[in-house]
Amino acid sequence: MTDFMEPIRDEQAGWPVRLWRRRVREPVMRELRRGTSPAMVALACIMGFVSATWPQIGTNPLMALLLSWLFRCNKAVTSGISLVFTPLQYMLMIPFLRLGETILGVEHFETSVPEIIRIVVTDPIGSFEVLGIPLLHAILGWICTWAVLGPAIFQPVRIIIRRIERRREQRLRTAPDRKP
């Protein structure tokens, strides 16, 4: 049995830990080693969260690439975080839809996430006929949410990234025989 504080080696780790390390931790650490500022790494992380919650099913990777290109941040960090946090899309789909409907003052479209998934999987192109307007309402809710939440979480995420960078630098100073 390993001590709670000992790092888990990859061969001991379950798939969620390996996924986190490969898609989030390693790209973030690689960017910090390259000298990317904590602010740019934080921006890439936030764009990953934003793209993970994009309400249109199956297009998160495209949104991650688009956002990383628009904001000139690292695509690997943005895409990795988007992939890991994609379950947020399904959790926030209906709240975004309700927010968009409330902002516009329109009647609620009665549906559920399983129903939306069934419609999209059964007829991806034809689903726009049924879900097109509700999708636009959900996108409005998504835009309004991230217009407020994105700037609000930028500073805390930047502080966390800065602490990670300081810890890495401290480890390098205490172990000079290791490569950066």
Side-chain angles (χ1 to χ4, degrees):
M1 176 133 178
T2 61
D3 183 21
F4 176 72
M5 296 305 289
E6 286 181 28
I8 299 172
R9 293 189 312 268
D10 275 343
E11 58 272 4
Q12 293 175 319
W15 70 266
V17 173
R18 289 192 312 268
L19 179 69
W20 176 263
R21 287 178 179 170
R22 188 174 63 247
R23 298 292 183 185
V24 177
R25 189 181 76 180
E26 289 174 13
V28 166
M29 296 307 290
R30 189 176 329 118
E31 282 306 296
L32 291 173
R33 279 193 302 271
R34 288 181 180 163
T36 304
S37 73
M40 286 306 293
V41 175
L43 183 62
C45 291
I46 291 168
M47 290 304 110
F49 290 128
V50 171
S51 64
T53 61
W54 173 246
Q56 187 176 5
I57 295 174
T59 58
N60 303 46
L62 297 173
M63 183 54 70
L65 289 173
L66 177 65
L67 290 173
S68 61
W69 178 74
L70 286 173
F71 288 91
R72 300 187 192 296
C73 51
N74 185 274
K75 290 167 186 57
V77 173
T78 302
S79 296
I81 290 177
S82 180
L83 173 74
V84 170
F85 288 98
T86 293
L88 289 175
Q89 176 186 40
Y90 300 102
M91 292 169 39
L92 295 174
M93 193 179 296
I94 300 298
F96 286 151
L97 173 61
R98 295 296 174 248
L99 177 60
E101 291 169 338
T102 302
I103 290 169
L104 294 174
V106 297
E107 188 177 319
H108 288 327
F109 178 75
E110 292 305 319
T111 190
S112 66
V113 172
E115 181 66 17
I116 292 171
I117 293 170
R118 186 189 63 72
I119 293 169
V120 170
V121 169
T122 314
D123 186 11
I125 303 300
S127 66
F128 283 102
E129 189 175 316
V130 176
L131 299 174
I133 298 300
L135 175 61
L136 292 175
H137 296 158
I139 290 171
L140 175 63
W142 174 81
I143 290 169
C144 292
T145 299
W146 283 110
V148 173
L149 193 59
I153 66 172
F154 176 75
Q155 198 65 12
V157 172
R158 188 173 67 87
I159 290 168
I160 291 168
I161 299 295
R162 189 179 290 159
R163 286 182 184 166
I164 291 168
E165 182 181 42
R166 281 192 201 130
R167 248 189 262 154
R168 185 187 72 79
E169 289 172 353
Q170 185 179 14
R171 273 190 246 132
L172 289 175
R173 280 192 297 269
T174 59
D177 57 337
R178 288 181 55 195
K179 286 177 153 179

